[in-house]
Amino acid sequence: MEPIRETLKRVVNAPAFSERYNDMRKEVLENPGVQKFLEDHAEEIDKSTVDRGMHKLYEYIDQSHDCNKCPSLEGCINHLKGFEPNLVLERNTIGIAYTACKSKNAYDNKRRASSLIHSMYMPKEVMQATLSGFELDDSRMEAFRAVGNFLDQATGPDDLPDKGLFLYGKFGIGKSYLLSAVANELAEMNVKSVLVFVPEFMREMKQAIGDQTLQEKVDYVKKADVLMLDDIGAEAMSSWTRDEVLGTILHYRMAEKLPTFMTSNFSYTELQHHLTYSQRGEKEDLKAARVMERIRALTEPVKLDGRNRRN
């Protein structure tokens, strides 16, 4: 039987193998990335270093760079998905270090931004909203400009305008969508937002009395960096939810000057009328006026109009 060393020597010296190796070597050395690496380390690298590191150089050129060979992060062809190779020289040996590619960075940034938005009972599709996806026409321009002005003034979590917006108008015209788009824009500035669908939140607050989590949940909402109350006025309001839940949250945020956004089918005047009457039919003008005073202190009213985009 032929010794393994002799077998390897015979295979390596075979014309076909030698030709393939020379073709591979030529391809490697003509690669722009390899050429730049060799030029940058011209004083440290000699031919023997290149020969010893040929397998690493080939590993480098065989992968995607700047995502040029990958259709998506999921379809990344690199040895480490989402990471691209960079040639390095360590102790006169050519090696490869992997760093996150632009697709991986974009994905990680999106996940980080998503973690800054806490949604309570909001539809998942609404949470994907972007300002670029907000359809513009004359009836929606005022609201879009108001949102833009708020975002222009917001430079980070420690520098936010005191007042948010009260977006009101009929059903299905994009109020919740715009609210979520603002939250996503703020997340890019590392600003945390809590979005709350008010009718469901109020129902849960009644249940929270029994499981003794009421104070914890109210505290979480009222202390949010930016609070967004969606569809206020659609809930069946009781004196307790109006005064002890909504009133408590708004009073804290007014005192701390924390920006608050709201959406409603009602204008200020119509919402005050809604807050005046409890489920029992009790008329409580003074208490409703007190809540509305806080809403006016926290928000600027902006009417949103247009066609129903849910149909």
Side-chain angles (χ1 to χ4, degrees):
M1 179 178 291
E2 182 179 32
I4 186 65
R5 183 177 298 174
E6 292 301 318
T7 302
L8 288 173
K9 184 177 179 181
R10 180 168 52 79
V11 170
V12 168
N13 290 330
F17 180 90
S18 180
E19 184 177 343
R20 286 197 304 271
Y21 177 81
N22 288 333
D23 288 343
M24 181 199 76
R25 180 184 175 87
K26 183 173 183 293
E27 180 186 1
V28 166
L29 295 180
E30 287 179 352
N31 180 271
V34 171
Q35 289 182 350
K36 185 177 186 312
F37 172 75
L38 295 178
E39 288 172 6
D40 291 344
H41 297 85
E43 296 181 0
E44 306 163 81
I45 294 178
D46 57 20
K47 183 178 180 300
S48 64
T49 305
V50 172
D51 289 340
R52 290 196 311 273
M54 189 56 63
H55 65 293
K56 286 294 182 181
L57 293 174
Y58 188 77
E59 179 183 332
Y60 169 80
I61 72 164
D62 193 44
Q63 300 184 71
S64 175
H65 301 271
D66 200 28
C67 302
N68 63 343
K69 297 179 184 177
C70 303
S72 63
L73 180 61
E74 189 61 32
C76 179
I77 67 167
N78 287 355
H79 296 184
L80 292 173
K81 185 174 289 189
F83 292 83
E84 59 184 3
N86 299 281
L87 292 170
V88 294
L89 186 65
E90 296 177 341
R91 299 177 183 175
N92 295 320
T93 300
I94 296 173
I96 291 180
Y98 285 87
T99 56
C101 68
K102 63 182 181 182
S103 295
K104 178 71 162 59
N105 285 329
Y107 174 78
D108 289 344
N109 287 339
K110 188 173 181 180
R111 286 193 63 185
R112 177 193 54 75
S114 296
S115 72
L116 294 173
I117 304 172
H118 183 74
S119 166
M120 300 177 74
Y121 326 111
M122 295 287 285
K124 186 175 181 180
E125 60 272 17
V126 172
M127 297 305 299
Q128 309 302 318
T130 61
L131 287 182
S132 61
F134 185 73
E135 296 179 25
L136 281 177
D137 55 41
D138 291 342
S139 62
R140 295 152 70 83
M141 189 59 72
E142 182 185 0
F144 190 77
R145 285 199 189 101
V147 162
N149 289 337
F150 179 91
L151 293 172
D152 286 343
Q153 296 175 57
T155 59
D158 299 322
D159 189 12
L160 296 169
D162 294 344
K163 273 194 171 188
L165 300 174
F166 183 89
L167 303 172
Y168 70 97
K170 57 190 178 183
F171 295 99
I173 57 175
K175 300 185 299 295
S176 301
Y177 183 97
L178 189 53
L179 210 64
S180 179
V182 173
N184 284 316
E185 289 289 327
L186 289 171
E188 295 295 329
M189 305 178 198
N190 291 318
V191 177
K192 295 181 181 179
S193 299
V194 174
L195 284 81
V196 179
F197 181 60
V198 174
E200 190 61 40
F201 177 71
M202 292 304 182
R203 279 192 287 272
E204 181 167 321
M205 290 307 96
K206 294 175 184 177
Q207 298 172 3
I209 299 173
D211 60 25
Q212 299 181 335
T213 60
L214 174 64
Q215 194 59 50
E216 176 186 347
K217 289 173 179 176
V218 169
D219 284 348
Y220 180 78
V221 170
K222 78 181 186 182
K223 293 178 180 179
D225 291 348
V226 177
L227 176 62
M228 300 184 171
L229 299 174
D230 187 46
D231 216 3
I232 188 169
E235 73 289 339
M237 186 66 68
S238 68
S239 296
W240 179 77
T241 53
R242 179 195 61 206
D243 302 330
E244 302 303 322
V245 179
L246 182 60
T248 297
I249 291 169
L250 297 180
H251 177 75
Y252 180 89
R253 298 190 67 79
M254 184 176 68
E256 296 297 321
K257 296 184 178 180
L258 296 172
T260 307
F261 285 74
M262 302 179 194
T263 71
S264 182
N265 297 130
F266 295 144
S267 65
Y268 275 170
T269 302
E270 292 165 335
L271 181 59
Q272 181 159 344
H273 178 77
H274 169 75
L275 295 173
T276 297
Y277 293 90
S278 69
Q279 285 176 303
R280 298 179 180 179
E282 300 162 324
K283 189 172 184 288
E284 298 175 314
D285 296 280
L286 184 60
K287 291 182 177 180
R290 186 177 296 123
V291 173
M292 283 307 305
E293 179 185 13
R294 293 164 183 166
I295 290 175
R296 287 187 173 92
L298 286 166
T299 62
E300 294 286 349
V302 180
K303 186 173 183 180
L304 189 61
D305 211 339
R307 64 179 175 83
N308 189 328
R309 282 160 168 81
R310 292 177 187 166
N311 296 333

